[in-house]
Amino acid sequence: MSNRSSQTWLRALKMTSPILQNPSVTLPVVFHQLASQFGGAPAILSDAATISFLSLKERMEFYANWALSQEIGSGDVVCLFAPTSTEYLAIWLGITRVGGVVALINTNLRGAPLEHSIGVVSPLHIIVGRGLFAAFETARDQLSPEICCWTHGEEIAGVPCIDQVSGTSIAQRIVESGPTPTIHDTALYIFTSGTTGLPKAVPISHFRLMQWSYWFAGLLDIRPNDRMYNCLPMYHSAGGVVAICAALVRGGSVVLPERFSASEFWEDIVRWDCTLFQYIGEMCRYLLKSPSGFHEPDHRIRLCCGNGLSGDVWTAFQSRFRIPQILEFYASTEGNVSLYNCDGRPGAIGRVPAYLAHRFSIELVKCDFLTGEPTRGDDGLCVPCVPDETGHAIGRISNRASGPKWTLKSTLTGSLRSGRYCGMCSMLVTLGT
């Protein structure tokens, strides 16, 4: 293992170790503290608006005050069906600050899948962002009439607009409303993509939000002068939590374009002077296939982070665009398996260093790829893979009532026991915890 890799792991461990020791410190609390530390420094930037850390805290308070005015209490659900904007983060931070749970709804959904995603979490309220009310109407008739609908960013006749709610200070009201959430409480519902059926709502605790934010802040070695380019959807964990919060908790800033554009990507990177970007899936392949642009050589990117960068694209992408470091990882919102390639080995999704094996309860086991079932020995137990053999990755889940169990997650190749790298072959099984 390289010295750089060891330092990367140690930073991530150091930054996440205090989380369990301070259960009352959640992300909304952290963002209140960041406002005092970084004040007027830019936090979120876009062509539409730019807000500072102080402004982000004030907007957070605005939505917390709205939640309190609607008597939203611990565990009450609010759906957020809104496009990428500088307000998006403030909305869910404010509502979760006072105990509410926010369900982040995929803005591409219409009709039955949209109705399912909203209905399955039984919300009291739904906030519909600019330009999405017509989409919401495709599912509205099938929803409970008791769900209170609000617009954001535009006025619709007969529908209250959340922008017009009084923004008085909530400092005293938070104290009067009782205890604030801890890291053990649910903060968000983030949905699976729906590739194997209707989207599934995954409860995300305040602990996981803190863990994701500080773990990636450590892996990426975020500094206050860093600027993250995030063109991923904010209703997903990568674009809505990891890319944004990892940068902000260390005083960096985030640039939010409306959407990913291969033709405008490098122009944006240079125009906003970004040092980092988050990728997912085939984004890097699209960029590699795009014609050479005038701004390609002028960027200051020091690192990009994401998942789904295949081996046949990696080296060519890194060479053409002069990317000093790529940090590939493998994880899923609903899963209990995660891997990180801190060494930058092309085509690998990660490995588990021997000194961290106790932190990653994951094994690779042989399986029958026709049936998807694990291969079992004479004793009925799963059979571990040998080095460089393709198999299923399984992760341990703990259940106090029935003891630890293992669940199938995905198809990988490599060897974790030997400390060698692991690469993804295909996603055959995707079972949540």
Side-chain angles (χ1 to χ4, degrees):
M1 179 185 297
S2 69
N3 184 54
R4 184 176 72 176
S5 175
S6 298
Q7 291 177 346
T8 299
W9 284 109
L10 290 174
R11 275 197 312 271
L13 291 169
K14 182 178 180 180
M15 294 194 66
T16 53
S17 61
I19 295 175
L20 285 174
Q21 302 168 21
N22 301 283
S24 62
V25 177
T26 61
L27 270 186
V29 173
V30 168
F31 277 91
H32 273 265
Q33 299 167 348
L34 291 171
S36 299
Q37 184 177 359
F38 296 105
I44 304 177
L45 308 94
S46 74
D47 286 325
T50 293
I51 62 173
S52 66
F53 282 89
L54 181 59
S55 297
L56 179 58
K57 186 199 83 164
E58 291 171 347
R59 298 306 297 162
M60 218 173 72
E61 291 179 346
F62 176 93
Y63 295 108
N65 185 48
W66 169 82
L68 290 174
S69 72
Q70 299 302 309
E71 300 183 345
I72 293 171
S74 178
D76 290 337
V77 177
V78 177
C79 286
L80 179 57
F81 185 52
T84 291
S85 73
T86 54
E87 291 281 291
Y88 195 100
L89 178 65
I91 293 173
W92 69 252
L93 282 173
I95 296 171
T96 61
R97 173 69 175 88
V98 296
V101 179
V102 181
L104 309 182
I105 307 296
N106 186 330
T107 55
N108 295 305
L109 299 180
R110 304 291 186 271
L114 177 58
E115 179 273 324
H116 165 81
S117 296
I118 297 172
V120 75
V121 295
S122 302
L124 300 179
H125 301 263
I126 179 166
I127 301 169
V128 181
R130 179 189 295 273
L132 286 172
F133 199 81
F136 171 65
E137 290 277 69
T138 66
R140 191 176 189 182
D141 289 345
Q142 302 302 314
L143 297 170
S144 168
E146 296 183 1
I147 299 175
C148 183
C149 178
W150 301 74
T151 61
H152 178 271
E154 65 180 347
E155 296 184 28
I156 303 292
V159 182
C161 182
I162 197 171
D163 309 57
Q164 298 173 355
V165 176
S166 171
T168 55
S169 174
I170 62 162
Q172 186 60 34
R173 298 185 64 180
I174 287 178
V175 173
E176 294 173 352
S177 68
T180 52
T182 72
I183 58 174
H184 306 295
D185 295 311
T186 299
L188 301 175
Y189 283 113
I190 299 179
F191 290 78
T192 61
S193 60
T195 54
T196 56
L198 290 170
K200 300 164 186 65
V202 182
I204 306 297
S205 67
H206 283 279
F207 170 78
R208 288 189 77 185
L209 295 180
M210 289 285 286
Q211 183 77 10
W212 289 348
S213 301
Y214 281 96
W215 182 261
F216 279 92
L219 291 182
L220 275 60
D221 193 16
I222 299 291
R223 308 151 195 171
N225 62 348
D226 273 319
R227 186 167 286 183
M228 169 72 76
Y229 187 78
N230 175 36
C231 55
L232 305 181
M234 293 186 73
Y235 53 77
H236 277 171
S237 52
V241 180
V242 172
I244 296 177
C245 296
L248 294 180
V249 297
R250 295 292 289 169
S253 55
V254 181
V255 174
L256 293 179
E258 288 187 9
R259 62 185 64 84
F260 167 68
S261 169
S263 61
E264 298 175 4
F265 185 87
W266 292 109
E267 180 181 353
D268 268 3
I269 290 285
V270 173
R271 177 165 65 96
W272 290 105
D273 197 23
C274 294
T275 58
L276 309 159
F277 69 84
Q278 186 94 9
Y279 65 85
I280 194 170
E282 294 294 276
M283 196 176 103
C284 296
R285 188 187 299 274
Y286 297 150
L287 290 170
L288 189 61
K289 287 184 174 296
S290 64
S292 297
F294 179 74
H295 294 281
E296 273 181 33
D298 302 327
H299 69 78
R300 289 202 311 122
I301 293 294
R302 65 174 182 84
L303 183 151
C304 66
C305 171
N307 56 326
L309 180 56
S310 58
D312 64 322
V313 173
W314 186 308
T315 302
F317 179 82
Q318 188 168 21
S319 175
R320 172 179 165 181
F321 298 115
R322 300 183 300 104
I323 308 296
Q325 184 180 359
I326 295 175
L327 197 153
E328 173 83 0
F329 69 93
Y330 169 71
S332 63
T333 304
E334 76 279 15
N336 60 339
V337 169
S338 58
L339 290 166
Y340 307 88
N341 179 357
C342 296
D343 300 88
R345 174 164 174 168
I349 62 172
R351 68 186 177 103
V352 179
Y355 63 86
L356 287 177
H358 65 288
R359 293 283 296 266
F360 292 83
S361 53
I362 176 176
E363 288 285 349
L364 295 181
V365 298
K366 298 175 185 287
C367 70
D368 182 331
F369 292 107
L370 294 178
T371 65
E373 294 296 318
T375 302
R376 298 183 182 275
D378 294 337
D379 55 5
L381 300 179
C382 295
V383 180
C385 290
V386 298
D388 297 322
E389 181 179 15
T390 299
H392 276 317
I394 58 174
R396 186 190 300 269
I397 56 177
S398 295
N399 185 311
R400 293 179 181 177
S402 59
K405 296 181 178 179
W406 294 84
T407 181
L408 289 174
K409 186 63 192 79
S410 59
T411 305
L412 308 175
T413 183
S415 176
L416 299 175
R417 292 189 173 194
S418 67
R420 299 177 70 177
Y421 290 86
C422 188
M424 183 161 64
C425 296
S426 62
M427 292 294 292
L428 294 186
V429 181
T430 310
L431 297 179
T433 55

